[in-house]
Amino acid sequence: WEQRKLGDVADLLTGYPFESRHFTDTGIPLVRGMNVKRGYLDMSADICENWSDAAGVEDYLLKAGDIVIQMDGALIGSSYAMVTPENTPSLLVQRVTRVRCGNRSRYIFQAVQRGFLRYIKSLKTETAVPHLSLSDIADYAIPVPKEEREQEHIGSFFSRLDDLITLHQRK
């Protein structure tokens, strides 16, 4: 295994500064910081805004398997989620980072879930609204198995384990 920076193993992108005066009632949902919760995306109608279409902003379309991380607010470090097929299409808004890592998304998500908050607590700016930069996120070090197939297996195993824990907690 190697210690690697997140920015070296994934494609990172911060969102587009969509102007709120152009939000619409229908169209493509926007993923803003308030939509990114602890491990999931909340796309409920009462907090979700929309953009008419993706023309000109195609680079900000999210794909299933992308990981999104909120960059501002009291819950930075614990506000991240994996985009599911049900969350697409959607567009990435400014102050949210997209982590795209292909087949290793489950592994990377587990690595973020396991130690990202601890890492962020050491970096958090002491302002009224805590803030992360893209370089803060890119510098997060994670242990990475050399074989991509091993990463996929580890990510799948821990995802299934998380699902079982959630299921038992609901009971």
Side-chain angles (χ1 to χ4, degrees), residues 11-116:
D11 177 37
L12 305 179
L13 176 73
T14 56
Y16 184 79
F18 294 92
E19 292 183 42
S20 59
R21 63 188 172 106
H22 295 296
F23 289 170
T24 60
D25 292 331
T26 60
I28 301 173
L30 298 172
V31 174
R32 303 179 299 156
M34 66 178 48
N35 300 107
V36 183
K37 304 297 183 184
R38 294 178 179 192
Y40 69 97
L41 282 177
D42 181 356
M43 302 304 285
S44 53
D46 58 329
I47 65 168
C48 200
E49 298 289 352
N50 298 287
W51 197 252
S52 59
D53 62 46
V57 290
E58 296 87 356
D59 291 345
Y60 301 96
L61 276 169
L62 293 170
K63 296 180 181 178
D66 286 346
I67 300 165
V68 291
I69 300 172
Q70 180 185 28
M71 298 173 72
D72 290 321
L75 296 177
I76 61 169
S78 59
S79 294
Y80 54 84
M82 185 178 294
V83 177
T84 64
E86 296 81 33
N87 302 134
T88 61
S90 56
L91 289 162
L92 186 68
V93 176
Q94 185 177 21
R95 307 305 313 138
V96 178
T97 296
R98 183 217 63 209
V99 179
R100 184 168 286 162
C101 39
N103 292 338
R104 0 173 167 191
S105 60
R106 285 186 181 152
Y107 177 80
I108 300 297
F109 183 75
Q110 292 299 322
V112 168
Q113 199 167 344
R114 301 292 179 246
F116 192 65

Side-chain angles (χ1 to χ4, degrees), residues 109-124:
F109 183 75
Q110 292 299 322
V112 168
Q113 199 167 344
R114 301 292 179 246
F116 192 65
L117 179 59
R118 194 172 32 253
Y119 166 74
I120 294 308
K121 282 184 177 180
S122 70
L123 298 177
K124 231 189 312 189

